[in-house]
Amino acid sequence: MDAPCAEPGLAARYRRYRLRVFCATWLAYAGFYLTRKSFSVAKVPLSQGADGWSLSDMAWVDGGYLTAYAVGQFAWGICGDRFGTRAVILIGLLASALVAALCGFAPGVAAMGLLLALQGLCQATGWGPLAKNVGEFFSQRERGWVMGIWCTNYALGGFLATRLAGWAAAQGGWRFAFWVPAAALVGVWLVFLLWQRDRPEDVGLPPIEEFHGEPAAVVEAGDALADEPEGSWQVIGDVLRSPMVLLLSAVYFFL
């Protein structure tokens, strides 16, 4: 929804940048699945190959990846606040592609385990900073339906990534399940580089709340925290103590 008194051309510029940011962030999160699904596809040929990976081997590798992914969620969310979505995601996407390419050269379980732990850290750059980026261009009253559409990225991204990695493995072996998705992710990185911007103010536009004539978002815990910089430990601590955050965290953990 555009502001009723927006200056001529402002509404059109806002719509253009909102669409670009929505598409760039949607594609970036879907793109992370390109390198996230590679090992799942490679498991079958790895278990049947000359080395004969056991289920225990694969479980340890998966466990290392998931542990690094969980730890990374805390660190990268804070970095997204402090350094901006653009820097974090560009580093995360490119590093994820590089690590995936190296996975294709992994000589054994130990090397693959180390690389996939690094991949978990790369994958963790995605959700927090990208969700924040969407929030910068869409106001509070829009975010419900906007995020409902935006979150189709993980379902469609996961589906397409599995198909691509499976096709690549069928053509050239399990190593190609890493190499081909890594190359595709570099393409996603280029689109993100060209289209994404952190905030409307970065392109000479007013904040989204001002544009829509809505009150600025505030920290519910009180005015004292509203003056804290983004990513400060005081704000993070208050969020982590929120009963709703704790409840949703517990639900997500058990899911």
Side-chain angles (χ1 to χ4, degrees), residues 101-113:
L102 292 175
C103 284
F105 294 101
V109 176
M112 184 69 80

Side-chain angles (χ1 to χ4, degrees), residues 145-167:
W145 67 266
V146 168
M147 290 301 290
I149 299 172
W150 189 82
C151 285
T152 58
N153 48 25
Y154 78 87
L156 188 57
F159 170 75
L160 294 177
T162 302
R163 297 285 294 179
L164 177 63
W167 172 83

Side-chain angles (χ1 to χ4, degrees), residues 91-102:
I91 292 172
L93 287 172
L94 200 58
S96 180
L98 175 60
V99 171
L102 292 175

Side-chain angles (χ1 to χ4, degrees), residues 13-35:
R13 287 187 65 219
Y14 227 117
R15 282 195 297 270
R16 183 169 67 253
Y17 276 104
R18 275 154 60 97
L19 179 60
R20 284 175 54 177
V21 169
F22 182 92
C23 292
T25 53
W26 188 98
L27 186 62
Y29 197 73
F32 274 113
Y33 278 85
L34 289 167
T35 46

Side-chain angles (χ1 to χ4, degrees), residues 73-97:
Q73 294 283 350
F74 288 93
W76 290 118
I78 297 170
C79 289
D81 282 341
R82 294 189 175 178
F83 305 114
T85 297
R86 186 174 182 81
V88 172
I89 298 300
L90 285 174
I91 292 172
L93 287 172
L94 200 58
S96 180

Side-chain angles (χ1 to χ4, degrees), residues 210-237:
E210 178 182 327
F211 181 66
H212 281 174
E214 298 180 20
V218 297
V219 180
E220 293 184 357
D223 295 334
L225 287 181
D227 295 329
E228 288 289 321
E230 287 187 311
S232 77
W233 287 109
Q234 187 172 351
V235 173
I236 293 167

